[in-house]
Amino acid sequence: MNRIKNQWVLKAVIGVFIVLAFSFNSFSWIYHNHGGSAYVDGGEGIAAISSSIETYIIDGAGYFLKSYADVLILLNYIETTVPGNLDQAELQEVVENALTNLNSAKSAYTQLITLAEATPYNVEVLEKLKFLDYDSFIENNGLIPVVFKDVEKYLKKGDITGTLKKSAAAFDMLVSILKTIEADIALGNMPDINSLWNLNQEYAKELLFGQYTARVYYAL
């Protein structure tokens, strides 16, 4: 097997397996999970819609996390390889995998947002979000304030669909960064270090944003 696969794919597969074990079941809680509870769940038709919202959230989370796993493979390889020994074909393959998974997440969120916009909110959940003590929540859970304040901005006013749109916009930005890196590799160049730093930072920020929304829903 090639060097990337020898050293990193096994670790990535194990990591993805763990991620999926949390993501693809009714108790998932990693990324925006239980956001479906904020939408009306009454009457057979609407109940089915609410269930579909959670399904799209879970699907999108799985693809997003798999894409991040691909990016970590890329970063690990670049970190431990002498620049002149980089295998451009293998790097290209890893970036393509990251893009494929990220585009799948985008597709899931396109359908998710369309459905969410057509579904009424659950008033009881909105009331809980409105009166939640967000400052205590940050302190008690040791959260990063700058990220959580962004979450609070949406949830306190009951804009759950807004959090999903924010994540969809983040996916677009990540695709753009990945395509820049892909273009560098296609030209036979080492990916720009600033692009790599920015890529990891934006993935990490987005993962925390989705994780913090899930933590709030779980606490309700």
Side-chain angles (χ1 to χ4, degrees):
M1 289 179 74
N2 55 47
R3 185 163 180 257
I4 288 181
K5 291 181 180 177
N6 271 329
Q7 295 192 9
W8 304 116
V9 167
L10 180 59
K11 292 181 181 179
V13 168
I14 292 171
V16 169
F17 177 81
I18 293 171
V19 163
L20 296 181
F22 283 106
S23 294
F24 288 94
N25 62 72
S26 59
F27 302 103
S28 44
W29 47 55
I30 299 297
Y31 182 77
H32 286 303
N33 298 118
H34 300 297
S37 66
Y39 296 86
V40 167
D41 189 18
E44 183 176 345
I46 295 177
I49 289 175
S50 181
S51 176
S52 295
I53 286 175
E54 193 65 30
T55 297
Y56 283 127
I57 288 173
I58 293 169
D59 286 348
Y63 286 121
F64 170 69
L65 292 167
K66 285 166 70 176
S67 177
Y68 198 4
D70 294 323
V71 166
L72 292 176
I73 293 173
L74 172 68
L75 297 178
N76 271 312
Y77 181 66
I78 290 175
E79 178 71 15
T80 59
T81 305
V82 176
N85 293 333
L86 293 174
D87 187 320
Q88 310 301 88
E90 291 189 44
L91 289 175
Q92 193 79 17
E93 181 181 353
V94 174
V95 173
E96 287 175 358
N97 288 341
L99 279 167
T100 296
N101 282 314
L102 194 52
N103 281 321
S104 293
K106 285 182 57 180
S107 178
Y109 264 64
T110 296
Q111 297 174 78
L112 167 62
I113 291 167
T114 297
L115 191 56
E117 288 181 327
T119 308
Y121 282 129
N122 183 329
V123 175
E124 181 181 350
V125 172
L126 295 190
E127 284 295 301
K128 290 180 179 178
L129 290 172
K130 181 179 179 180
F131 293 106
L132 179 69
D133 186 344
Y134 289 92
D135 290 335
S136 294
F137 195 89
I138 293 176
E139 183 176 352
N140 293 339
N141 292 287
L143 307 183
I144 298 173
V146 68
V147 178
F148 189 75
K149 285 296 182 180
D150 210 11
V151 171
E152 178 184 349
K153 178 180 69 176
Y154 287 95
L155 298 189
K156 194 167 188 176
K157 64 181 181 181
D159 188 9
I160 289 78
T161 303
T163 67
L164 305 177
K165 290 180 177 180
K166 182 182 183 302
S167 290
F171 295 164
D172 287 335
M173 178 175 58
L174 290 169
V175 165
S176 178
I177 300 171
L178 280 167
K179 286 185 174 179
T180 297
I181 292 171
E182 184 181 42
D184 283 341
I185 295 170
L187 292 173
N189 299 325
M190 169 77 171
D192 177 69
I193 189 61
N194 288 299
S195 293
L196 294 172
W197 287 335
N198 193 28
L199 181 67
N200 185 55
Q201 175 177 278
E202 295 306 323
Y203 263 103
K205 282 169 55 181
E206 178 52 31
L207 177 56
L208 282 177
F209 179 78
Q211 177 183 306
Y212 286 179
T213 65
R215 291 189 73 157
V216 171
Y217 300 142
Y218 183 76
L220 298 180

